Amino acid sequence: GALVCWCNVTQQEVVAAMNAWAQFKVGQAVHIGAFSPRHIRGRKWDFRRGLFLYIIEGNREGREEWMDEEGLGKLQGVKQIASPR
C-alpha cells in the first residue's frame, strides 16, 4: 500500500501521514552490506509505486545511491508493514 485520502485534507496532514508511514527517517544510520553504517540523506515519495525512495550516502563523496523502502527494509531485516504506524 500506497497512502489513500478519501476527503479533503491539508498539505500538512498529508506530510504528517507520510512521515508516520515512513520506515526510515532522514539522518538515520543504516547498514548496507559489510560496510560501516551510512546515513540517509533524503527521501521522496514515489506516487506510482506507493513507497518512499531514499538517498543513502556513499562510501565516497558524490557516490550516493537511491534505494526504495522495500529494498532498504530487507537489508535492515525490517518486517514489511501493511498499514501506517
Side-chain angles (χ1 to χ4, degrees):
L3 290 175
V4 177
C5 296
W6 290 291
C7 60
N8 291 329
V9 294
T10 66
Q11 183 176 0
Q12 180 179 0
E13 291 171 312
V14 171
V15 171
M18 291 172 77
N19 286 334
W21 179 268
Q23 291 184 16
F24 303 98
K25 306 294 182 204
V26 174
Q28 181 177 345
V30 293
H31 294 276
I32 300 174
F35 304 104
S36 60
R38 299 186 186 170
H39 292 88
I40 296 173
R41 294 222 171 143
R43 69 179 179 210
K44 66 180 182 178
W45 183 254
D46 184 332
F47 286 93
R48 283 184 275 148
R49 296 170 56 196
L51 50 73
F52 278 106
L53 299 174
Y54 296 89
I55 189 161
I56 312 297
E57 70 180 344
N59 54 3
R60 287 178 273 158
E61 192 63 35
R63 302 287 296 182
E64 294 86 6
E65 64 179 286
W66 286 95
M67 295 189 73
D68 66 29
E69 191 163 54
E70 186 176 301
L72 187 56
K74 287 179 183 176
L75 288 175
Q76 306 308 302
V78 172
K79 184 177 180 182
Q80 298 298 307
I81 57 174
S83 61
R85 292 182 205 157

